[in-house]
Amino acid sequence: MTMLEPQTDTVLQSSYQRSVANYWNNNPNDDRVNVKLGEVDGLYHHHYGIGEPDLSVLEGPESTRQERIVRELHRLETAQADLLLDSLGDVRSTDRLLDGGSGRGGTSIMANARFGCRVDGVSISEYQVGFANDQARQRGVSDSVQFHYRNMLDTGFDSRSMRGAWTNETDMYVELPDLFAELSRLLEPGGRYVCVTGCSNDVTGGRSAAVSWIDAHYGCMIHPRSEYFKAMTANNLVPIAVTDLTPATIPYWDLRTHSELATGVEKPFLSSYRDGSFQYLLIAADKVGR
Ligand SMILES: C[S@@+](CC[C@H](N)C(=O)[O-])C[C@H]1O[C@@H](n2cnc3c(N)ncnc32)[C@H](O)[C@@H]1O
């Protein structure tokens, strides 16, 4: 069944969302990193990495050092998406999954390769949607992996149609109660939601200057950790696992400081992760009730 894609003004519901879409349609500086890393194997991510880097990439011939760093950063970003998919639980080939804020599509393509099921990604960047659909076509999976120019707060998909849903570094662009209301509507009873996000640590008090710097750089609104659990509870999403990925992402950021693709965001990320004011979390939650 082909569904009509909504028109621009119904997708972008506020001037804030228009500015976010504009950023992702035209972000040459940050994009340079994502495109370069994606060219390693054709999986394009717009998220960060986790795991122990192989620091031997910093040794050896200088002429190929940058290329080795790029491959290693990309491996760690793919490892992050793999961990997210590990957390989706039991997914069958007849199930359907939603990628909220799908970027250039890397995580959706990995999900389809792993589970063999249908995956729908939504993004408010028309450019990204076109790019990701091209990737799906090139891989011969465009029947089962489709990207849509839609808002993840109002996807238009049927209620209870998804076995699983995830947001990979996208919830900082929306209000959490609105996002979780829509995801809860889409999930079938017992369906799993997985979120990987950077949040501010409200246990240590107010927002640090570094967290505000990151917000200003990306035009996003990083949420305090406590907001996630309040908004999930209010929307029938019951956490089953919460993993603090902060220690696992710091080595990735350290390695990035050695890359000629470094954009300057490395310093606030590292300082806020190290002083405890910012945290990289994975939250998995199940939908209870109808
Ligand atoms: C940091 S990127 C993450 C992309 C992707 N999840 C990944 O891991 O590669 C943020 C994404 O969120 C999308 N986004 C932001 N607000 C959105 C909204 N309200 N609805 C749908 N997508 C949104 C942007 O267009 C962009 O694709």
Side-chain angles (χ1 to χ4, degrees), residues 17 20 24 44-47 99 101-103 107 122-125 128 150-153 168-170 173-174:
Q17 289 177 358
V20 172
W24 290 104
Y44 289 83
H45 304 302
H46 270 282
H47 59 245
D99 182 352
S102 43
T107 311
V122 295
S123 170
I124 54 171
S125 161
Q128 288 185 329
R150 294 187 190 198
N151 197 314
M152 63 183 167
L153 302 181
N168 197 351
E169 296 185 12
T170 64
Y173 293 97
V174 293

Side-chain angles (χ1 to χ4, degrees), residues 62-141:
E62 199 171 332
S63 56
T64 51
R65 183 171 305 152
Q66 288 301 324
E67 197 188 310
R68 291 194 301 278
I69 295 174
V70 160
R71 297 185 81 84
E72 193 56 9
L73 290 172
H74 182 64
R75 185 180 70 78
L76 300 176
E77 293 187 1
T78 297
Q80 187 262 36
D82 264 324
L83 181 71
L84 185 157
L85 299 178
D86 290 345
S87 309
L88 277 172
D90 182 25
V91 179
R92 298 168 187 214
S93 58
T94 47
D95 287 331
R96 190 171 171 194
L97 299 173
L98 177 87
D99 182 352
S102 43
R104 288 175 184 265
T107 311
S108 288
I109 285 173
M110 287 171 63
N112 169 261
R114 183 190 290 213
F115 302 117
C117 69
R118 180 179 172 94
V119 184
D120 288 283
V122 295
S123 170
I124 54 171
S125 161
E126 279 187 284
Y127 166 75
Q128 288 185 329
V129 167
F131 182 96
N133 277 326
D134 282 347
Q135 293 303 309
R137 257 190 302 277
Q138 282 172 31
R139 286 175 177 261
V141 292

Side-chain angles (χ1 to χ4, degrees), residues 205-259:
R207 301 156 67 75
S208 64
V211 169
S212 300
W213 195 99
I214 296 168
D215 263 354
H217 179 85
Y218 291 102
C220 62
M221 39 187 182
I222 291 165
H223 305 293
R225 174 153 51 107
S226 59
E227 300 272 315
Y228 286 84
F229 303 96
K230 280 186 212 150
M232 282 185 184
T233 306
N235 286 288
N236 293 343
L237 295 170
V238 178
I240 183 164
V242 181
T243 312
D244 181 3
L245 298 176
T246 313
T249 195
I250 287 177
Y252 161 89
W253 284 98
D254 269 331
L255 180 62
R256 244 178 91 129
T257 63
H258 295 274
S259 170

